[in-house]
């Protein structure tokens, strides 16, 4: 696998460098602020509606229309490739709301591996698991879930962290590929005019406010045919194969950069900024 420079994979600033784009953003700002305030009010109703209506195609349709009013549009490609018997979806990770948007297309559960628990975990659309347990225990719990009849599929992000979606994919962790013998790859592209989708130090709430401020954010979901692990193929080899398939579909580079490398890169950037200022 080719390794792409880590600088290209993450955004440290939200605003554009181009002077013309920055001027257009300044002109748009009053409109964006009004949109954000109005969409916050509508967003509360979207949350209440999603809680009140049981899981069904009607609920997904209604919430999808309301999310379009919030500026979050979803488009899908090759929906017939989606296998209803597959118990595990594997997707690249671009924003903190990827699972919410894809859930407008089909039902599934996304395990919360770290972060808030309780009400916030449920409100953000995650399935709570005991993240304090070891990775082996989490894997065994999810493996039992996938083998249980009648349960919705799982959606897992093996990159374990977000990128800007423009340069490359983080190295896929191997543990999700031990849950089932067959998986469904899902390729996700996210686009937004002028503003970056996120920055390395912004939280999900700040990203949500900027999403409501922006005129629109478009999620392009592509369903790839299911992929099965071959005889004698290790979980890491299986993960690398799926990572390469998604990278080719997205036109990106399949890298060996991990979540830990991203954290280390952010630390270096934090230390270098004060020195540069001095």
């Amino acid at each position: 696998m080719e390794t792409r420079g880590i600088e290209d994979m993450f955004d440290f600033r939200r605003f554009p460098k181009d002077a013309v784009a920055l001027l257009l953003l300044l002109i748009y700002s009053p409109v964006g602020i009004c949109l954000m305030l109005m969409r916050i009010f509508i967003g509360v109703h979207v949350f209440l509606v999603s809680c009140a209506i049981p899981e069904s195609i009607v609920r997904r349709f209604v919430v999808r229309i309301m999310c379009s009013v919030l500026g979050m549009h979803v488009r899908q490609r090759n929906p017939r490739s989606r296998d209803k018997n597959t118990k595990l979806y594997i997707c690249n990770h671009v924003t903190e709301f990827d699972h919410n948007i894809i859930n407008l297309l089909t039902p599934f559960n996304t395990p919360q591996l770290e972060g808030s628990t309780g009400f916030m975990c449920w409100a953000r659309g995650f399935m709570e698991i005991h993240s304090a347990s070891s990775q082996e225990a989490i894997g065994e719990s999810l493996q039992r879930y996938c083998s249980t009849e009648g349960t919705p599929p799982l959606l897992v992000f093996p990159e374990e962290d977000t990128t800007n979606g423009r340069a490359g994919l983080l190295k896929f962790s191997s543990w999700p590929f031990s849950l089932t013998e067959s998986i469904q790859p899902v390729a996700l592209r996210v686009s937004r005019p002028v503003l970056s989708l996120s920055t390395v130090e912004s939280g999900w709430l700040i990203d949500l406010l900027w999403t409501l401020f922006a005129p629109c954010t478009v999620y392009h979901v592509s369903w790839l045919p299911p992929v099965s692990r071959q005889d004698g193929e290790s979980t890491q080899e299986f993960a690398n194969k799926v990572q390469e398939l998604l990278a080719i579909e997205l036109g990106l580079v399949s890298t060996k950069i991990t979540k830990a490398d991203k954290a280390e890169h952010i630390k270096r950037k934090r230390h270098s900024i004060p020195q540069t200022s001095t």
Side-chain angles (χ1 to χ4, degrees):
M1 284 186 287
E2 181 184 349
T3 301
R4 174 68 64 91
I6 196 170
E7 286 281 352
D8 300 329
M9 296 178 61
F10 314 107
D11 292 331
F12 284 84
R13 54 181 294 163
R14 195 175 297 272
F15 302 112
K17 296 181 180 179
D18 183 67
V20 176
L22 202 56
L23 178 60
L24 293 175
L25 180 61
L26 184 62
I27 296 172
Y28 167 78
S29 293
V31 178
I33 293 173
C34 293
L35 268 179
M36 181 180 66
L37 296 175
M38 181 181 66
R39 284 170 172 174
I40 290 174
F41 177 76
I42 298 173
V44 174
H45 289 77
V46 174
F47 176 74
L48 294 176
V49 167
S50 64
C51 295
I53 303 178
E55 171 59 44
S56 64
I57 189 172
V58 175
R59 174 183 178 271
R60 292 195 296 273
F61 176 77
V62 172
V63 176
R64 183 174 177 179
I65 295 299
M66 297 182 76
C67 284
S68 297
V69 178
L70 299 181
M72 293 180 282
H73 305 272
V74 57
R75 300 171 183 172
Q76 65 175 332
R77 179 184 174 193
N78 301 327
R80 293 185 179 180
S81 296
R82 187 170 70 243
D83 187 359
K84 296 181 179 180
N85 297 320
T86 302
K87 300 292 287 186
L88 181 63
Y89 299 149
I90 294 294
C91 185
N92 59 301
H93 205 5
V94 185
T95 74
E96 296 291 341
F97 316 107
D98 296 344
H99 65 290
N100 302 111
I101 297 299
I102 301 175
N103 193 231
L104 299 176
L105 304 175
T106 184
F108 57 78
N109 286 318
T110 303
Q112 171 73 301
L113 301 178
E114 59 181 27
S116 57
T117 58
F119 173 77
M120 287 306 301
C121 176
W122 170 80
R124 293 185 60 198
F126 287 107
M127 180 181 71
E128 185 173 355
I129 59 176
H130 297 291
S131 57
S133 305
S134 64
Q135 191 176 62
E136 290 77 10
I138 293 174
E140 290 175 1
S141 176
L142 294 179
Q143 196 169 29
R144 287 194 300 270
Y145 175 93
C146 291
S147 61
T148 303
E149 291 291 334
T151 56
L154 285 178
L155 174 69
V156 179
F157 303 103
E159 291 178 284
E160 299 183 332
D161 212 333
T162 58
T163 67
N164 58 23
R166 298 193 304 270
L169 300 178
L170 293 175
K171 182 179 180 180
F172 279 16
S173 179
S174 62
W175 71 264
F177 296 87
S178 64
L179 302 180
T180 63
E181 294 298 317
S182 178
I183 62 98
Q184 176 104 55
V186 184
L188 179 65
R189 297 183 183 89
V190 188
S191 59
R192 175 186 296 166
V194 183
L195 289 168
S196 297
L197 297 169
S198 180
T199 64
V200 292
E201 295 185 329
S202 62
W204 70 268
L205 184 57
I206 298 298
D207 287 344
L208 176 60
L209 293 177
W210 281 109
T211 300
L212 301 178
F213 172 88
C216 66
T217 304
V218 183
Y219 291 76
H220 303 267
V221 180
S222 297
W223 300 93
L224 277 66
V227 181
S228 299
R229 182 164 62 173
Q230 303 299 318
D231 293 337
E233 190 175 42
S234 68
T235 54
Q236 188 59 63
E237 291 172 340
F238 189 26
N240 295 342
K241 179 174 69 176
V242 175
Q243 180 181 358
E244 194 67 34
L245 287 174
L246 285 175
I248 293 173
E249 174 68 21
L250 294 166
L252 304 179
V253 176
S254 184
T255 77
K256 296 181 180 179
I257 300 170
T258 64
K259 176 184 177 180
D261 295 328
K262 175 184 176 180
E264 184 63 30
H265 178 63
I266 294 172
K267 288 181 181 178
R268 288 199 301 267
K269 294 287 286 188
R270 283 175 182 166
H271 291 308
S272 65
I273 290 175
Q275 294 176 2
T276 304
S277 301
T278 304

